[in-house]
Amino acid sequence: MAAGDGDAFTWLYEHYQPKLYLFVFPLTGFSRQDTDEVVQDIFVKLWLRKETLVTVQSLQAYLFMMAKNRLYDLRMAAARQSKARDVLLQQQEEAHSDVQEKVQFNEYHEIARRAIDGLTPQRRRIFMLRNEGGLSLDDIAMELNISKFAVKKQLYEAVRDVKTYLKKHAGLDAVMLTLIFTSLK
């Protein structure tokens, strides 16, 4: 066969194919398709490497080693595909989750806006100066020409009213309220 004799290759195939098939079949999870593929690959490689067979001392051991290597390659490729599939699925789930979170956050944000719009004009103005304008209580008091105590009381009432509205209309807890209020800035 090393010299390219096709009859020698046919004899080797007929002699070793059944043994190789029996060896490979359970290692492929009893898949006839995978076993046929592995065995075929081995004999194709054997023919392509026929010139190197002169140095092989045991053809059966050589064939079985080729089978083990091919099975290992198939398992590694399957593991890479599985890992890539898992990563892709995880990325899709995360993207879907991000979209859901953004939609939900936008809904909550809209409910918070309605809650703020429902405040009396004075409370709304104080609330907005504090949360969107970032002004201190003293600065708000100076701008509106009222006492710091009045600003503090109106701001307290505004926050209480907004929290009540949000709990009633969105079932939000304190953590979510904080996130919404900080995003309003």
Side-chain angles (χ1 to χ4, degrees), residues 16-92:
Y16 287 108
Q17 188 275 345
K19 295 176 185 178
L20 205 51
Y21 193 93
L22 288 174
F23 174 73
V24 172
F25 187 57
L27 299 174
T28 62
F30 301 100
S31 167
R32 291 181 190 272
Q33 182 179 355
D34 290 346
T35 302
D36 288 340
E37 182 182 329
V38 169
V39 171
Q40 177 126 7
D41 286 350
I42 291 167
F43 281 103
V44 167
K45 283 183 183 178
L46 187 65
W47 180 255
L48 294 174
R49 298 178 186 169
K50 60 187 173 286
E51 293 84 18
T52 63
L53 293 178
V54 178
T55 61
V56 174
Q57 293 182 6
S58 170
L59 187 58
Q60 183 169 323
Y62 185 72
L63 290 171
F64 281 68
M65 183 58 70
M66 287 177 71
K68 285 173 50 178
N69 290 339
R70 181 67 181 128
L71 287 166
Y72 176 79
D73 292 344
L74 289 175
R75 282 198 181 108
M76 294 307 291
R80 283 191 301 273
Q81 286 178 342
S82 177
K83 185 172 182 168
R85 190 177 327 107
D86 291 346
V87 167
L88 182 60
L89 286 173
Q90 182 180 0
Q91 288 173 344
Q92 288 174 339

Side-chain angles (χ1 to χ4, degrees), residues 6-171:
D7 291 334
F9 177 76
T10 301
W11 181 87
L12 287 173
Y13 181 83
E14 289 173 355
H15 182 73
Y16 287 108
Q17 188 275 345
K19 295 176 185 178
L20 205 51
Y21 193 93
L22 288 174
F23 174 73
V24 172
F25 187 57
L27 299 174
T28 62
F30 301 100
S31 167
R32 291 181 190 272
Q33 182 179 355
D34 290 346
T35 302
D36 288 340
E37 182 182 329
V38 169
V39 171
Q40 177 126 7
D41 286 350
I42 291 167
F43 281 103
V44 167
K45 283 183 183 178
L46 187 65
W47 180 255
L48 294 174
R49 298 178 186 169
K50 60 187 173 286
E51 293 84 18
T52 63
L53 293 178
V54 178
T55 61
V56 174
Q57 293 182 6
S58 170
L59 187 58
Q60 183 169 323
Y62 185 72
L63 290 171
F64 281 68
M65 183 58 70
M66 287 177 71
K68 285 173 50 178
N69 290 339
R70 181 67 181 128
L71 287 166
Y72 176 79
D73 292 344
L74 289 175
R75 282 198 181 108
M76 294 307 291
R80 283 191 301 273
Q81 286 178 342
S82 177
K83 185 172 182 168
R85 190 177 327 107
D86 291 346
V87 167
L88 182 60
L89 286 173
Q90 182 180 0
Q91 288 173 344
Q92 288 174 339
E93 288 172 3
E94 288 172 359
H96 181 70
S97 177
D98 287 347
V99 169
Q100 282 181 320
E101 287 175 9
K102 285 179 183 177
V103 167
Q104 189 176 28
F105 184 80
N106 287 339
E107 288 173 1
Y108 289 152
H109 193 271
E110 182 56 36
I111 292 170
R113 278 282 170 208
R114 284 191 299 241
I116 294 166
D117 290 345
L119 296 172
T120 64
Q122 180 75 351
R123 283 185 186 163
R124 183 178 332 112
R125 188 161 184 214
I126 292 171
F127 185 86
M128 298 304 275
L129 287 171
R130 177 68 174 177
N131 288 294
E132 286 187 0
L135 297 179
S136 68
L137 297 179
D138 290 328
D139 292 339
I140 296 170
M142 275 184 26
E143 183 167 322
L144 299 178
N145 200 24
I146 58 176
S147 72
K148 182 179 175 180
F149 177 77
V151 169
K152 196 173 190 179
K153 183 175 181 196
Q154 289 294 318
L155 185 58
Y156 173 80
E157 295 292 326
V159 170
R160 187 198 66 201
D161 292 348
V162 169
K163 282 183 179 181
T164 301
Y165 184 92
L166 290 174
K167 282 183 182 179
K168 181 178 179 183
H169 292 88

